[in-house]
Amino acid sequence: MSPPRLIARFRTERGLAKAARGLEEDGIGPVRIYSPHPVTVAGQAGVRHRISVPLITLAAGLAFFFASLALQIYADAANYVLDIGGRPPDSWPAFIPTAFENGVLGALLAGFVAFLLLVREPGDLDEQVEATMLDSYYLVLSPGDEMTAERAYEHFREAHAEQTIEVPP
Amino acid sequence: MSGELSHVVAIPLGPSPGRWWWAALAFSAALLLLLTVAVAWLFLKGVGVWGLDWPVAWGFAIINYVWWIAIASGGTFISAFFFLTGAEWRSALSRIAETMTVFAAGCAGLFPILHLGRPWFFYWLLPYPDSMGLWPQFRSPLLWDFYAILTYIAGSILFWYLGLVPDLASLRDAARTSSQRLCYGLLALGFHGSARQWHFYRSTYGVMATVMAPLVVSVHSIVGLDFAGGETPGWHSTQFPPFFVFGAMLSGFATVFLLIIPLRRLLRLEAFITDRHFDVLGRLMLTSSLCVAYAYAMDAFTTFYGDDAVEKAQFLDRLSGIYWPVYWGTILFNVTIPQLLWWRRCRLSQPLVMAISFLVVVGMWFERFNIVVTSLHRTALPSAWGGYRPTFWDYATLFGTVGLFLSGFLLCIRYLPALSLFEMRELLADKEEPR
């Protein structure tokens, strides 16, 4: 059973940022942020995600690049050797354009697939935050006890939250 | 949804944008039908229906291919390159530019297949284990081009779609009917604007932009090498890769102008596409025109500095031979007329910019005609000289691809936001509350 949650809705990014800053200074957290565009607020800036899309993309790009290079060298220098103007069959500069393009393709595909897998949110989405992409900012937290919830409400009021909802477990 | 952006969201969700849209779609659908008939006839009868013959064995197909891929490149410059430089003005143009890239690249990708004598064998270009024991010729620029275009088309589609995901989520949430909610919901991939999703979105988009930026340069350089790798007089020049990239920038920016000027008025985007955009794009077009002018000057210089009699004769033939209007049209439309953009008043005059952009697009087609046909019609040996007469089917295929491009573009404008909503929201939020 999921714990009870407080969901505060804000009209502006400033309100969201003020509330998040207040909660962080008060040691209340963790919080989940929903916004119609990327925002950086207190408590989120230091969050580290284990998976790095750039690294995945780089690894896939290099893998595709070297695989393509290897295939071309095998094809032209080992399997079906053609004497073209006496040039050495394993003259690798001629293989770079294709290998580069294949590397780029691999990188793009891997990045996109990584995004497809990572975009899925773990757990259920509160229906109250479903209108995020229509210009609303949400802050969600599970306070744990009554006193923390009271302090959180205080921060929401100071940040002029448009609405605060308590979602029971 | 904030007032300024609400009408942008309303276009995909509401009734059609207006009668103009239906008229434009009817026109482009007619051209698309022409393309269908032209391609069917081509497959039935073979490439003999075109004007190709010895010595001009490459004609409209390659001209059109290079022309379209150059137009596509301009969109990627705006969406990827200028994303990396942090240019905030690109936000209002990136969606239109990326959509233009997708459909222009698609049009370009048709021609290498159509121009094959046996197009059903195009898959032989892929290195699969076959019973003939053969491999593609990896050392040929023509094969490099195949992989470059494949990568560019795939990359453009992925990059375009990724950029759409947050806006598709907005459309899902603003949907008026259950079918709209379902369609946009499926396409939005469960995006709900959480900090975690934005983090992965931003890092994926950033890395894809980082990859697309050199890709557009490499693709067009490889297209240049299609020609430079050959011995044909007028082609065998080391300047072709950057020359083609300069031309890509020029035609791309010009086509973006041709699209944003009417769309700005028809979709009421005046609040988002402002004089600043015209000023910046005008300067970019002027810069590209100067780069192209430099390339033309270097072409002339290296020809006469190199003292190769064949190259010199070929160059002089361009100036005064049977195709001289094409060469001088190229100079006039790509170099001379765009110099008007030095003046800010001209850059901000929409009718003038529209005219200049149209002439640039025509001029860039002339340039490719110049490169392909004028070089091939008069090579080293007089016994290999000949003319080129495009047929009805050449023109039908060219204008048919314009219909393909416009049809796809119009459908996207109808069913997808014409602006990047979340980027505009970010800019509006920054304006109201500077960070």
Side-chain angles (χ1 to χ4, degrees):
Chain A
M1 190 165 63
S2 55
R5 293 179 298 288
L6 286 180
I7 301 176
R9 190 176 83 196
F10 302 88
R11 195 72 190 91
T12 64
E13 184 186 343
R14 176 177 286 184
L16 173 78
K18 186 173 181 182
R21 198 167 43 246
L23 290 171
E24 195 198 29
E25 286 167 0
D26 215 356
I28 300 171
V31 300
R32 287 206 312 268
I33 303 287
Y34 293 83
S35 55
H37 60 83
V39 299
T40 307
V41 298
Q44 301 293 306
V47 171
R48 292 270 176 265
H49 297 271
R50 279 179 308 168
I51 299 170
S52 167
V53 172
L55 276 180
I56 292 171
T57 312
L58 176 65
L62 289 173
F64 272 67
F65 176 85
F66 285 111
S68 175
L69 203 57
L71 175 68
Q72 291 176 80
I73 291 173
Y74 168 72
D76 278 14
N79 187 259
Y80 198 111
V81 182
L82 292 169
D83 183 354
I84 299 172
R87 295 185 182 91
D90 55 353
S91 174
W92 57 266
F95 302 144
I96 293 295
T98 299
F100 174 80
E101 298 298 335
N102 292 158
V104 165
L105 182 62
L108 290 169
L109 287 172
F112 189 76
V113 169
F115 176 75
L116 284 181
L117 297 173
L118 293 167
V119 79
R120 298 185 64 80
E121 280 281 271
D124 293 328
L125 179 74
D126 291 301
E127 63 181 52
Q128 289 82 358
V129 304
E130 282 183 350
T132 303
M133 300 307 292
L134 295 177
D135 284 345
S136 292
Y137 301 78
Y138 293 92
L139 192 153
V140 181
L141 80 142
S142 300
D145 56 58
E146 286 279 338
M147 265 183 56
T148 309
E150 277 301 318
R151 289 181 3 239
Y153 269 116
E154 193 56 43
H155 289 297
F156 295 156
R157 269 194 294 275
E158 283 172 13
H160 306 293
E162 265 192 347
Q163 187 184 19
T164 310
I165 303 165
E166 189 172 329
V167 179
Chain B
M1 181 68 60
S2 68
E4 287 159 311
L5 289 169
S6 57
H7 92 269
V8 178
V9 171
I11 295 168
L13 299 176
S16 79
R19 266 187 277 190
W20 68 268
W21 186 83
W22 287 108
L25 188 68
F27 171 71
S28 58
L31 290 178
L32 182 57
L33 181 62
L34 179 64
L35 175 68
T36 311
V37 170
V39 170
W41 191 245
L42 173 74
F43 284 170
L44 200 60
K45 294 293 185 184
V47 289
V49 302
W50 288 342
L52 303 178
D53 202 348
W54 189 255
V56 183
W58 272 2
F60 271 34
I62 301 303
I63 295 169
N64 299 341
Y65 160 68
V66 181
W67 185 66
W68 276 119
I69 204 68
I71 287 171
S73 303
T76 310
F77 273 112
I78 289 174
S79 58
F81 241 97
F82 291 115
F83 171 80
L84 295 173
T85 61
E88 35 170 82
W89 56 264
R90 79 169 258 294
S91 301
L93 306 177
S94 60
R95 181 62 44 73
I96 293 172
E98 283 165 17
T99 308
M100 176 188 88
T101 294
V102 166
F103 290 101
C107 289
L110 278 182
F111 286 102
I113 297 173
L114 293 180
H115 95 306
L116 297 173
R118 296 176 297 177
W120 50 91
F121 286 143
F122 82 94
Y123 65 92
W124 284 359
L125 292 165
L126 292 164
Y128 67 97
D130 61 50
S131 57
M132 296 178 286
L134 289 174
W135 296 97
Q137 173 51 287
F138 291 116
R139 294 200 187 91
S140 167
L142 301 183
L143 190 75
W144 304 344
D145 205 17
F146 169 72
Y147 290 107
I149 293 306
L150 194 68
T151 304
Y152 191 51
I153 291 174
S156 301
I157 292 171
L158 293 177
F159 190 58
W160 171 74
Y161 178 51
L162 185 70
L164 273 169
V165 167
D167 292 351
L168 291 168
S170 296
L171 291 176
R172 174 200 61 209
D173 293 344
R176 298 173 191 179
T177 66
S178 53
S179 56
Q180 283 176 348
R181 192 174 170 85
L182 177 66
C183 289
Y184 291 120
L186 284 172
L187 292 170
L189 306 175
F191 195 87
H192 279 283
S194 74
R196 180 182 169 282
Q197 288 177 325
W198 278 120
H199 166 81
F200 286 123
Y201 175 83
R202 269 296 203 211
S203 65
T204 308
Y205 194 85
V207 109
M208 286 181 88
T210 308
V211 171
M212 290 294 289
L215 175 66
V216 73
V217 175
S218 73
V219 166
H220 231 69
S221 299
I222 288 171
V223 172
L225 289 169
D226 283 345
F227 302 94
E231 285 284 340
T232 306
W235 286 5
H236 195 58
S237 168
T238 52
Q239 78 152 3
F240 263 41
F243 170 34
F244 273 57
V245 174
F246 297 155
M249 285 162 47
L250 181 59
S251 30
F253 294 144
T255 312
V256 169
F257 257 134
L258 286 178
L259 294 172
I260 66 169
I261 290 174
L263 285 178
R264 178 177 181 263
R265 180 180 291 253
L266 294 166
L267 297 178
R268 293 180 294 124
L269 301 176
E270 291 89 344
F272 305 101
I273 301 175
T274 63
D275 279 352
R276 174 163 155 70
H277 294 95
F278 289 114
D279 191 30
V280 169
L281 263 185
R283 289 170 195 239
L284 286 171
M285 221 165 94
L286 175 64
T287 307
S288 337
S289 171
L290 291 171
C291 292
V292 166
Y294 171 74
Y296 293 155
M298 282 299 105
D299 189 25
F301 174 75
T302 53
T303 298
F304 289 94
Y305 187 71
D307 208 33
D308 182 304
V310 174
E311 292 279 350
K312 285 197 285 190
Q314 206 282 323
F315 189 87
L316 290 171
D317 178 68
R318 280 193 214 168
L319 270 56
S320 55
I322 60 170
Y323 296 116
W324 69 265
V326 176
Y327 180 79
W328 291 110
T330 305
I331 301 297
L332 181 68
F333 296 159
N334 294 345
V335 177
T336 315
I337 291 177
Q339 300 312 305
L340 289 170
L341 297 171
W342 280 102
W343 286 272
R344 185 177 154 86
R345 274 186 76 176
C346 293
R347 291 198 296 273
L348 300 184
S349 163
Q350 292 178 47
L352 184 62
V353 164
M354 192 86 172
I356 293 173
S357 302
F358 179 76
L359 290 175
V360 162
V361 168
V362 170
M364 290 311 298
W365 193 90
F366 278 3
E367 183 200 280
R368 277 44 178 266
F369 184 98
N370 209 27
I371 290 169
V372 173
V373 176
T374 314
S375 295
L376 285 174
H377 100 101
R378 192 180 168 124
T379 51
L381 294 175
S383 59
W385 293 355
Y388 173 66
R389 273 209 176 77
T391 65
F392 167 79
W393 298 109
D394 283 303
Y395 288 104
T397 314
L398 167 61
F399 291 110
T401 52
V402 173
L404 174 62
F405 172 82
L406 283 177
S407 300
F409 188 83
L410 286 167
L411 287 171
C412 286
I413 290 299
R414 167 69 182 92
Y415 292 108
L416 299 170
L419 301 175
S420 176
L421 294 172
F422 80 91
E423 288 183 19
M424 295 309 302
R425 281 196 197 103
E426 238 179 325
L427 286 177
L428 290 170
D430 279 349
K431 230 174 32 175
E432 286 166 15
E433 302 163 17
R435 290 171 208 266

